[in-house]
Amino acid sequence: MNIQSKDSFGTKETLSVGKTQYTIFNQSKIKHPNLKKLPRSLRVLLENLLRHEDGMHVTKDDVESLLALDEKSLSREISFFPARVLMQDFTGVPAVVDLAAMRDAMKALGGDPKKINPLVPVDLVIDHSVMVDSFGSKNSFDENVKMEFARNSERYTFLKWGQNAFQNFKVVPPGTGICHQVNLEYLAKTVWNNGSYAYPDTLVGTDSHTTMVNGLSVLGWGVGGIEAEAVMLGQPLSMLIPEVIGFKLEGNLKEGTTATDLVLTITQMLRQKGVVGKFVEFYGPGLNSLSLADRATIANMAPEYGATCGFFPIDNETLRYLKNSGRPAETLELVESYAKATGLWRHEEDEKNFTFQDTLHLNMSSVEPSLAGPKRPQDRVLLSQAPADFETQLDKTFQVEQTKRQRKSFEVPVVGEDYSLGHGDVVIAAITSCTNTSNPDVMLGAGLVAKKAVEKGLTVKPWVKTSLAPGSQVVSDYLEKAGVQKYLDQLGFNLVGYGCTTCIGNSGPLSEPISAAVDKGDLVVASVLSGNRNFEGRINPQAKANYLASPMLVVAYALAGHMGVNLYKDSLGKGHDGKDVYLKDIWPSNEEIRETVRNTVDVDMFENRYGNVFDGTADWKNIKTTSEQTYSWTPSTYIKNPPYFDGMKKGLGKLEDISGARILALLGDSITTDHISPAGSIKKDSPAGRFLMSKNVEPVDFNSYGSRRGNDDVMVRGTFANIRIKNELAPGTEGGVTKYAPTGEVMSIYDAATKYMGTKTPLIVIAGKEYGTGSSRDWAAKGTRLLGVKAVIAESFERIHRSNLIGMGVIPLQFKDGVNRKTLNLDGTELLSIRGIETMKPSQVLELEVKRQDGTMTLVPLKSRIDTAVELEYFKNDGILHYVLRKLT
């Protein structure tokens, strides 16, 4: 990294750490009355600006605006230069595909392909591909890994080529762990250094849960693959100076509550507050009792509470974690010296001076055991009220007739078994996801629950699909050392893989007899998982109700087998002695858990597991690839050269208004990127399924959409194809269908878009509030673009997806308050035009012209959500990749 700061504020100095000297930009040297008022997260941004002040990307005025701490400063655009990029394979594969395509385009434009190369360190962790096909067996891990390599050999060969072809690009092979846990346990440094300069560790990641590392005081968040690629290629991340919401924690968690209960409470509070696009910074005396793992659990779910990040400070707990996870002594010494020299070290007295835009307060002793569901992570349900709430959900959400709600009154026999299924049965219980599997307290807690349950004589209900997918191999080591893995195994929670699995929809199929019974009765069956996402259609197509819970409660619900069981009062089953066993009989005390953690988790585990983290298994080592600088594209349904750069010229075209457009989809509130982006399994009768069969791919080999993100032909056919999405243009339907306006025919969204493309008709998507909530799925934007959509009009947008739309050349537009699709009485027969794009400036008000069939016309003002000058430049260039490519040529 070439640092050429003007250092207008005189902050450049030398920091001596042991025998090593580092150049730093010490923001604490700035003479400004507001410096002490800056929350720590903004001080990290301040250092970033000081280090990159060049008069072009970063100016002296940018620094002064950040220090101003007033309303005017919040509309100021600044450039953020992250130190590194983190990727997982679902989003990483298409990013590397795009880089490979950019090398081809650079060559076609007469440039040097080698210029397309990451300029900052990039780590890609393969963690999203393993699926829970085999479960409940000692062979499950080996069988799932074998299937993973068989399904993904083309993708893995391509990634291994990328590792050889690109500089600053490393791949953590399959079977190592979840990217966020690997980041927390190994990759992150809290203070980064490049040999001569030291500065705060910062990053962006192509997964929204990148925020997990905020618990280690690393400032970073999830972005789309599109933005991450630009950062990789040396471009700054354009952002507005953020509002910072302070969250004061006090007290201690009481007996019987977990970090999961705490984070579900915080998520609900912050969602109700409204923190989309804002920083949340945690402070207060409660931090003294929170382990680093607990902090990381809270930070992990920033996307669920809607914030850009959930930041924690550097203190002795940070150093303790860095030491216990095997970081070298020089890293610990640098972190402590740098933080104390620059004012980033936590002192409770300093927190009294901080200026936050708003604050919340929580005494952790008030937290109660909780679940969240059945559809959203912010919908917290007290464990004591879970049965009653599920009964309410059956009525209001799932609209099940009252006579069929009770399992006794409505059951479907399972063929070949001696039991039946009814509404509310738990068919999936999964200890999964980065959120909780990095936390030894809840993981070992789950092991202790399993131990006590087995000793009492309890068994898991036979209709429950159980799985254990730790976030790293270290977890397996401490479960084994504590002697609890064997009890998890006895209950069916055998190791199925090291990856995200159920939380991202890789839950695998239900067994055929159970699947058939669910379909026959149209049953509302449930999953309980220790994850962070439970959106419709995400976990498993047959599990309509999905609940987030601690790993300990996942085990409990596997034993109970039904959402109607009151875990406070009802028996989990009969023990060896024929007596009822209750949850209180098998629940470990907080001290028992802490003692087990103290006696079990040690530094050797981290050093042993991460000593050869990039080597991989024999299967990985045996993958053969080339050393060519451009990729040799071969016919593949996994990896394909995308069409983004077809016909691209060196010069810019001109911006044009949109005329005579049709509505492709008319959508409601809280449309998530899971609704938009292809995710989960590929159905045989879907456009993507038909395409794959036309390429001689059998349904058994379809794999998931996530694994095929490197092929635009598959992905565009799966865009807006979620089984639960409801398009109001086709009332009474569910799934990716629309009404083709010229004929009134109902057909798949892909087929309609293809017809519209044939007549060169531009398309628009119209939606309600919180459009694009959820994971940082770049294909939610890429697929939208490839379907021919020119604009998305919504009542409000989630941060990442709005940015990604711009990155793909699609303009996000926002209705003014009080105006929406319903007040306009839209039905899809209208012709729409958008005026003012040709001369557009950031945040400009444009005009929507709605021409109806009867000839009447309505004019509607729309605010452009192209918020900054840099975003406008991306849009003018037809997207961020085109912008970078033109700049490099």
Side-chain angles (χ1 to χ4, degrees):
M1 177 173 55
N2 186 21
I3 298 173
Q4 296 178 322
S5 174
K6 290 186 175 183
D7 193 27
S8 300
F9 295 84
T11 61
K12 191 174 182 179
E13 63 180 27
T14 299
L15 176 70
S16 296
V17 182
K19 297 180 179 179
T20 307
Q21 290 190 326
Y22 298 98
T23 300
I24 66 171
F25 289 81
N26 190 347
Q27 35 80 24
S28 69
K29 300 297 182 183
I30 293 177
K31 305 299 183 186
H32 193 287
N34 283 349
L35 184 66
K36 289 186 177 180
K37 297 179 182 179
L38 279 186
R40 296 183 186 96
S41 54
L42 288 188
R43 293 188 73 145
V44 174
L45 280 185
L46 176 60
E47 187 281 338
N48 200 276
L49 292 175
L50 293 168
R51 184 160 33 97
H52 291 96
E53 186 209 348
D54 59 1
M56 181 176 65
H57 292 101
V58 179
T59 66
K60 184 179 178 181
D61 287 345
D62 292 334
V63 177
E64 290 175 341
S65 292
L66 184 66
L67 286 164
L69 285 174
D70 56 22
E71 287 299 316
K72 185 179 177 183
S73 69
L74 297 176
S75 61
R76 176 100 183 179
E77 173 194 353
I78 59 172
S79 292
F80 174 51
F81 288 82
R84 58 193 178 92
V85 174
L86 177 71
M87 291 183 165
Q88 38 94 333
D89 54 310
F90 270 16
T91 48
V93 165
V96 180
V97 164
D98 290 350
L99 290 178
M102 288 177 76
R103 281 197 168 182
D104 287 353
M106 176 68 89
K107 191 175 180 180
L109 291 170
D112 181 3
K114 288 185 181 179
K115 283 187 176 180
I116 306 297
N117 202 67
L119 298 178
V120 300
V122 179
D123 293 290
L124 187 151
V125 182
I126 301 176
D127 65 348
H128 273 51
S129 296
V130 63
M131 299 179 72
V132 188
D133 291 288
S134 175
F135 68 97
S137 159
K138 65 180 181 180
N139 299 319
S140 292
F141 174 73
D142 291 338
E143 290 171 1
N144 289 329
V145 168
K146 184 178 179 181
M147 283 185 270
E148 177 188 358
F149 271 88
R151 287 174 176 141
N152 297 290
S153 60
E154 293 176 52
R155 298 169 65 242
Y156 291 175
T157 299
F158 176 69
L159 288 177
K160 205 165 185 184
W161 167 80
Q163 187 178 33
N164 295 334
F166 296 113
Q167 297 174 7
N168 281 331
F169 180 70
K170 292 181 179 178
V171 176
V172 177
T176 304
I178 298 173
C179 63
H180 312 302
Q181 192 159 340
V182 173
N183 192 21
L184 187 76
E185 294 179 350
Y186 176 71
L187 297 172
K189 296 182 180 180
T190 303
V191 174
W192 200 262
N193 79 84
N194 66 356
S196 54
Y197 285 86
Y199 40 91
D201 186 1
T202 56
L203 80 159
V204 289
T206 58
D207 188 292
S208 50
H209 295 99
T210 299
T211 55
M212 183 175 183
V213 81
N214 298 162
L216 199 58
S217 203
V218 176
L219 183 62
W221 52 85
V223 297
I226 304 153
E227 293 171 294
E229 290 164 41
V231 172
M232 288 161 58
L233 294 166
Q235 301 304 304
L237 191 69
S238 175
M239 61 184 290
L240 299 177
I241 293 175
E243 291 185 46
V244 183
I245 307 301
F247 199 115
K248 187 175 184 180
L249 292 169
E250 293 184 313
N252 298 282
L253 289 173
K254 64 186 178 184
E255 188 66 35
T257 56
T258 68
T260 313
D261 303 319
L262 173 61
V263 74
L264 292 179
T265 302
I266 289 171
T267 298
Q268 184 183 49
M269 290 175 66
L270 285 167
R271 266 294 171 186
Q272 290 173 350
K273 186 72 174 177
V275 293
V276 172
K278 302 174 185 180
F279 283 15
V280 171
E281 184 164 323
F282 295 91
Y283 70 105
L287 267 60
N288 297 327
S289 65
L290 279 184
S291 69
L292 199 292
D294 288 351
R295 298 177 188 187
T297 303
I298 295 167
N300 179 284
M301 286 188 72
E304 280 64 55
Y305 43 82
T308 301
C309 64
F311 193 74
F312 286 82
I314 301 171
D315 60 9
N316 284 320
E317 175 61 17
T318 314
L319 295 181
R320 187 198 67 80
Y321 183 84
L322 290 169
K323 179 181 180 181
N324 291 348
S325 55
R327 266 64 167 212
E330 51 267 30
T331 296
L332 273 70
E333 193 175 355
L334 174 59
V335 170
E336 184 172 8
S337 298
Y338 182 91
K340 289 181 175 177
T342 60
L344 291 176
W345 187 265
R346 177 178 174 243
H347 295 288
E348 283 190 52
E349 284 299 310
D350 294 344
E351 295 171 351
K352 297 175 183 176
N353 299 319
F354 291 167
T355 295
F356 297 110
Q357 269 68 41
D358 207 343
T359 57
L360 289 90
H361 169 264
L362 175 65
N363 190 314
M364 293 186 287
S365 65
S366 67
V367 171
E368 298 287 341
S370 305
L371 308 172
K375 290 186 176 183
R376 300 189 307 175
Q378 64 262 40
D379 294 335
R380 187 171 67 97
V381 183
L382 291 177
L383 182 62
S384 59
Q385 298 173 9
D389 184 79
F390 184 75
E391 180 76 12
T392 300
Q393 298 292 344
L394 282 178
D395 178 21
K396 293 184 177 179
T397 302
F398 301 109
Q399 298 175 340
V400 175
E401 296 174 31
Q402 186 171 5
T403 56
K404 293 183 177 181
R405 287 180 212 154
Q406 294 298 322
R407 198 171 185 274
K408 303 176 207 171
S409 59
F410 184 75
E411 293 183 331
V412 179
V414 177
V415 175
E417 305 291 348
D418 60 356
Y419 57 84
S420 299
L421 289 182
H423 296 297
D425 278 328
V426 175
V427 294
I428 292 174
I431 300 174
T432 178
S433 167
C434 50
T435 309
N436 289 290
T437 62
S438 66
N439 194 322
D441 286 23
V442 291
M443 293 300 287
L444 285 167
L448 291 171
V449 170
K451 177 177 184 291
K452 293 171 187 289
V454 169
E455 288 172 347
K456 290 283 187 181
L458 295 182
T459 58
V460 167
K461 297 298 184 286
W463 53 82
V464 183
K465 180 174 185 176
T466 48
S467 60
L468 168 66
S472 79
Q473 297 172 347
V474 172
V475 179
S476 289
D477 290 340
Y478 63 65
L479 290 175
E480 285 289 348
K481 185 176 177 181
V484 295
Q485 183 63 59
K486 62 183 179 182
Y487 298 105
L488 287 164
D489 290 346
Q490 287 182 59
L491 292 182
F493 287 97
N494 301 77
L495 174 68
V496 295
Y498 297 101
C500 302
T501 63
T502 302
C503 191
I504 56 156
N506 284 358
S507 57
L510 301 177
S511 67
E512 185 55 40
I514 290 174
S515 174
V518 171
D519 284 345
K520 183 177 180 180
D522 192 22
L523 298 178
V524 179
V525 292
S527 73
V528 181
L529 64 150
S530 61
N532 44 48
R533 292 277 163 82
N534 55 342
F535 300 133
E536 288 182 288
R538 179 184 179 98
I539 304 306
N540 183 286
Q542 293 185 294
K544 292 182 180 179
N546 302 284
Y547 287 89
L548 307 180
S550 70
M552 300 159 75
L553 286 178
V554 170
V555 176
Y557 271 102
L559 296 168
H562 193 271
M563 292 306 303
V565 174
N566 188 323
L567 296 184
Y568 277 85
K569 300 189 300 186
D570 298 339
S571 167
L572 295 173
K574 301 289 185 183
H576 291 305
D577 56 6
K579 295 180 180 178
D580 286 324
V581 179
Y582 299 89
L583 182 62
K584 61 183 176 64
D585 299 326
I586 61 172
W587 195 266
S589 69
N590 290 1
E591 180 52 37
E592 185 179 0
I593 293 171
R594 284 193 291 266
E595 181 69 17
T596 305
V597 173
R598 281 195 294 267
N599 294 336
T600 303
V601 183
D602 62 55
V603 67
D604 290 343
M605 294 175 178
F606 293 90
E607 291 176 345
N608 292 337
R609 289 297 191 177
Y610 287 112
N612 55 355
V613 68
F614 297 107
D615 292 350
T617 62
D619 289 324
W620 178 257
K621 292 174 182 175
N622 289 335
I623 294 174
K624 307 297 181 190
T625 187
T626 70
S627 58
E628 297 295 324
Q629 292 302 303
T630 54
Y631 190 66
S632 301
W633 306 97
T634 55
S636 168
T637 54
Y638 281 97
I639 305 296
K640 176 178 172 285
N641 195 347
Y644 312 132
F645 307 108
D646 291 354
M648 179 181 170
K649 295 180 173 59
K650 285 187 178 181
L652 275 179
K654 69 170 187 173
L655 291 181
E656 294 181 346
D657 290 346
I658 298 170
S659 299
R662 291 287 191 179
I663 303 172
L664 181 65
L666 193 65
L667 306 168
D669 295 341
S670 297
I671 294 298
T672 71
T673 49
D674 280 6
H675 286 117
I676 307 164
S677 177
S681 59
I682 301 172
K683 288 191 170 293
K684 182 179 176 180
D685 58 353
S686 68
R690 291 193 294 271
F691 168 78
L692 288 171
M693 286 190 290
S694 76
K695 299 296 181 182
N696 299 316
V697 179
E698 294 298 320
V700 69
D701 298 317
F702 278 1
N703 212 333
S704 65
Y705 277 114
S707 67
R708 293 188 182 273
R709 281 187 178 184
N711 187 300
D712 61 276
D713 282 333
V714 175
M715 298 302 283
V716 70
R717 287 168 168 81
T719 304
F720 292 108
N722 183 288
I723 57 173
R724 300 286 176 235
I725 195 169
K726 293 180 176 68
N727 186 352
E728 294 170 7
L729 295 185
T733 65
E734 199 173 44
V737 297
T738 192
K739 186 179 289 184
Y740 181 63
T743 64
E745 183 184 357
V746 174
M747 62 182 67
S748 75
I749 281 179
Y750 172 77
D751 289 340
T754 302
K755 281 179 172 287
Y756 283 126
M757 282 185 207
T759 57
K760 297 185 178 178
T761 303
L763 298 173
I764 292 174
V765 170
I766 296 180
K769 299 181 181 70
E770 295 182 343
Y771 184 78
T773 301
S775 300
S776 54
R777 297 192 184 279
D778 56 336
W779 264 107
K782 287 179 176 177
T784 299
R785 159 73 182 267
L786 292 179
L787 285 170
V789 174
K790 300 294 184 183
V792 176
I793 307 172
E795 293 177 64
S796 62
F797 289 89
E798 194 84 347
R799 176 183 61 88
I800 298 174
H801 186 59
R802 179 198 65 82
S803 177
N804 281 352
L805 287 171
I806 298 166
M808 288 307 299
V810 179
I811 182 170
L813 302 167
Q814 192 162 317
F815 288 117
K816 295 210 163 183
D817 289 347
V819 181
N820 54 49
R821 69 195 189 284
K822 292 184 178 178
T823 63
L824 293 173
N825 293 314
L826 299 174
D827 61 13
T829 59
E830 304 85 358
L831 286 173
L832 307 182
S833 298
I834 300 171
R835 313 294 185 203
I837 295 176
E838 293 176 354
T839 56
M840 183 172 57
K841 294 179 181 178
S843 300
Q844 185 172 319
V845 175
L846 307 180
E847 186 176 74
L848 170 66
E849 176 188 285
V850 181
K851 187 175 182 181
R852 304 182 190 275
Q853 277 187 313
D854 61 6
T856 59
M857 193 176 296
T858 306
L859 299 179
V860 183
L862 299 172
K863 181 182 178 181
S864 167
R865 288 306 313 277
I866 295 178
D867 294 346
T868 68
V870 171
E871 288 179 344
L872 184 57
E873 284 302 306
Y874 293 156
F875 184 69
K876 287 179 178 178
N877 277 272
D878 204 26
I880 199 168
L881 301 181
H882 298 75
Y883 170 82
V884 171
L885 196 53
R886 285 194 177 101
K887 196 171 180 182
L888 290 173
T889 55

